[in-house]
Structures are given as structure tokens and as C-alpha cells.
């Protein structure tokens, strides 16, 4: 569950810094006057940032094998890895959206704290879900972190790995992927509007 914070914070911080370099006036103007479509430009940046995030995810996976190898070599460990991978891809799109909204490099630290720490506290990464008030958990439903942490909590007590028992976890992963698609669409809409303004 703590990986929710580290993955989200790492992705948002690094990707926002990378994207802010592309927003420097000279680079931004060259991009706008080029023949490249904003969708292609966004896609290329997204793929590059995804590779960066996968590198971060691999680092955390290796670290988890070193710290709790006995768990990671089981079916539970494999599903934990799959769940964290899906969340990492979503974290990239969150960071990409924020990077397209924010122009100020100095604001990135504050945004990382709000997004990563805020979602981690609301969704049960630091405080167990069962200790959180129902009102907080209802708000948490609008964040992808909730579904990631919820899947981890279900996995703790999972003994059978048939389709019926895995269904809630697979549904949570599907919801995270829907969030991912939503963030990509929102980023393209924002990029298009920003290009028109520029």
C-alpha cells in the first residue's frame, strides 16, 4: 500500500519536471509551428514517460523481492506486481495531465504533496481502510488509488485464485485502466486548447 505514495510521487515529480522543460517558450513555439500533430506529440511524450515509470516500477519490484522475497515468489506476489503495474501506468497519465496543466517548476513540489500524500491518506495507504470514516472512503472512490489499495487489501485474505474470487480485483484493475483512458483524453483536450491559445 505504501507503494501508492512512492509510485505516484515519483511519477508526478519526474514527469512534471520533464514536461516543464518542453514548455519553455522557445521549445514550445518550435513544437507549435512544426507539422507534428498535438496528439502525436503527446503520444511520443507519453510513451517516453511510460518507459521512465516502468523503470521506476522495476526498481520497486526488485526492492520488494529483496525485502519480502518469500511473498513475492507466490501467486499473491505475482498479483501484487500486476496490480502495481496497472497503477503505475495510471500514475503516468495522472502526472502527464498535471504536467500539461502546470507551467511553474516551483509549484511541482506542492503538487506532489497534494496529489500523492492526499490520495494516500484518503485511500488508506498510511492508515488502514477499516480505520477510516465512511465519509472519507466515499470521497476516496473518485481516486484511482482507492481501487489499487482496495485490491491489495482483498489479496491479503485471498486463498483461492479462481475467477469468482479474482473478479473484484480484476474489476478494480479495470476501473484503474478506465481512469487511465480518462486522463489521456483530458490531456489531449487541454493540449489542443493550449495550442489554440498560444
Amino acid at each position: 500500500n505504501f507503494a501508492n505514495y512512492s509510485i505516484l510521487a515519483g511519477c508526478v515529480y519526474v514527469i512534471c519536471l520533464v514536461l516543464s522543460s518542453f514548455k519553455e517558450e522557445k521549445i514550445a513555439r518550435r513544437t507549435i509551428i512544426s507539422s507534428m500533430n498535438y496528439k502525436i506529440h503527446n503520444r511520443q511524450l507519453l510513451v517516453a514517460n511510460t518507459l521512465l515509470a516502468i523503470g521506476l516500477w522495476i526498481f520497486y519490484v526488485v526492492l520488494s523481492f529483496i525485502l519480502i522475497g518469500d511473498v513475492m515468489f507466490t501467486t499473491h506476489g505475482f498479483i501484487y506486481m500486476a496490480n502495481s503495474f496497472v497503477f503505475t501506468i495510471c500514475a503516468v497519465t495522472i502526472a502527464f495531465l498535471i504536467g500539461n496543466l502546470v507551467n511553474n517548476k516551483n509549484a511541482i513540489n506542492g503538487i506532489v504533496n497534494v496529489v500523492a500524500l492526499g490520495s494516500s491518506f484518503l485511500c488508506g495507504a498510511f492508515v488502514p481502510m477499516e480505520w477510516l470514516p465512511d465519509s472519507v472512503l466515499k470521497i476516496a472512490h473518485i481516486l484511482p488509488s482507492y481501487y489499487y489499495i482496495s485490491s491489495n487489501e482483498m489479496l491479503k485474505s485471498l486463498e483461492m485464485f479462481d475467477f469468482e474470487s479474482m473478479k473484484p480485483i480484476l474489476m478494480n484493475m479495470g476501473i484503474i485502466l478506465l481512469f487511465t483512458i480518462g486522463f489521456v483524453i483530458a490531456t489531449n483536450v487541454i493540449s489542443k486548447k493550449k495550442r489554440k491559445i498560444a
Side-chain angles (χ1 to χ4, degrees), residues 131-152:
W131 294 358
L132 292 171
D134 290 339
S135 56
V136 172
L137 287 174
K138 280 178 184 174
I139 295 165
H141 276 76
I142 62 167
L143 300 167
S145 296
Y146 172 82
Y147 301 95
Y148 167 70
I149 293 165
S150 178
S151 292
N152 286 342

Side-chain angles (χ1 to χ4, degrees), residues 6 10-11 14 16 21 23 39 54 67 70 77 82 88 92-93 103 105 111 129 138 141-142 146 155 164 171-172 186:
S6 53
C11 285
V14 174
C16 284
S21 301
K23 288 185 174 180
K39 284 183 181 177
I54 289 170
L67 296 173
D70 54 328
T88 301
V92 172
T93 58
N103 294 324
K105 278 186 180 181
I111 291 163
M129 277 185 164
K138 280 178 184 174
H141 276 76
I142 62 167
Y146 172 82
L155 266 169
E164 276 305 310
M171 280 179 67
N172 281 349

Side-chain angles (χ1 to χ4, degrees), residues 119-187:
S119 65
S120 295
F121 276 112
L122 282 172
C123 300
F126 301 140
V127 179
M129 277 185 164
E130 58 267 23
W131 294 358
L132 292 171
D134 290 339
S135 56
V136 172
L137 287 174
K138 280 178 184 174
I139 295 165
H141 276 76
I142 62 167
L143 300 167
S145 296
Y146 172 82
Y147 301 95
Y148 167 70
I149 293 165
S150 178
S151 292
N152 286 342
E153 292 299 315
M154 287 178 210
L155 266 169
K156 282 198 295 192
S157 57
L158 201 67
E159 292 176 7
M160 295 285 291
F161 292 96
D162 56 2
F163 180 73
E164 276 305 310
S165 56
M166 284 291 296
K167 197 174 175 182
I169 294 169
L170 294 172
M171 280 179 67
N172 281 349
M173 287 185 187
I175 292 166
I176 294 170
L177 289 173
L178 287 174
F179 271 108
T180 304
I181 294 164
F183 291 132
V184 170
I185 292 166
T187 303

Side-chain angles (χ1 to χ4, degrees), residues 28-175:
R29 284 183 177 177
R30 284 177 188 166
T31 307
I32 290 166
I33 62 166
S34 70
S35 58
M36 187 183 287
N37 185 292
Y38 73 94
K39 284 183 181 177
I40 296 168
H41 181 254
N42 278 352
R43 199 177 304 130
Q44 288 180 354
L45 281 173
L46 188 59
V47 169
N49 287 316
T50 302
L51 292 173
L52 182 84
I54 289 170
L56 183 70
W57 175 78
I58 290 168
F59 170 75
Y60 287 127
V61 168
V62 169
L63 199 63
S64 63
F65 272 101
I66 293 166
L67 296 173
I68 48 166
D70 54 328
V71 174
M72 298 310 289
F73 283 109
T74 63
T75 310
H76 281 87
F78 175 76
I79 300 166
Y80 278 127
M81 283 190 286
N83 190 34
S84 65
F85 182 78
V86 171
F87 182 71
T88 301
I89 300 302
C90 186
V92 172
T93 58
I94 293 168
F96 202 65
L97 176 62
I98 293 166
N100 275 281
L101 287 168
V102 178
N103 294 324
N104 189 349
K105 278 186 180 181
N106 299 323
I108 293 171
N109 281 335
I111 291 163
V112 168
N113 286 331
V114 170
V115 173
L117 270 177
S119 65
S120 295
F121 276 112
L122 282 172
C123 300
F126 301 140
V127 179
M129 277 185 164
E130 58 267 23
W131 294 358
L132 292 171
D134 290 339
S135 56
V136 172
L137 287 174
K138 280 178 184 174
I139 295 165
H141 276 76
I142 62 167
L143 300 167
S145 296
Y146 172 82
Y147 301 95
Y148 167 70
I149 293 165
S150 178
S151 292
N152 286 342
E153 292 299 315
M154 287 178 210
L155 266 169
K156 282 198 295 192
S157 57
L158 201 67
E159 292 176 7
M160 295 285 291
F161 292 96
D162 56 2
F163 180 73
E164 276 305 310
S165 56
M166 284 291 296
K167 197 174 175 182
I169 294 169
L170 294 172
M171 280 179 67
N172 281 349
M173 287 185 187
I175 292 166

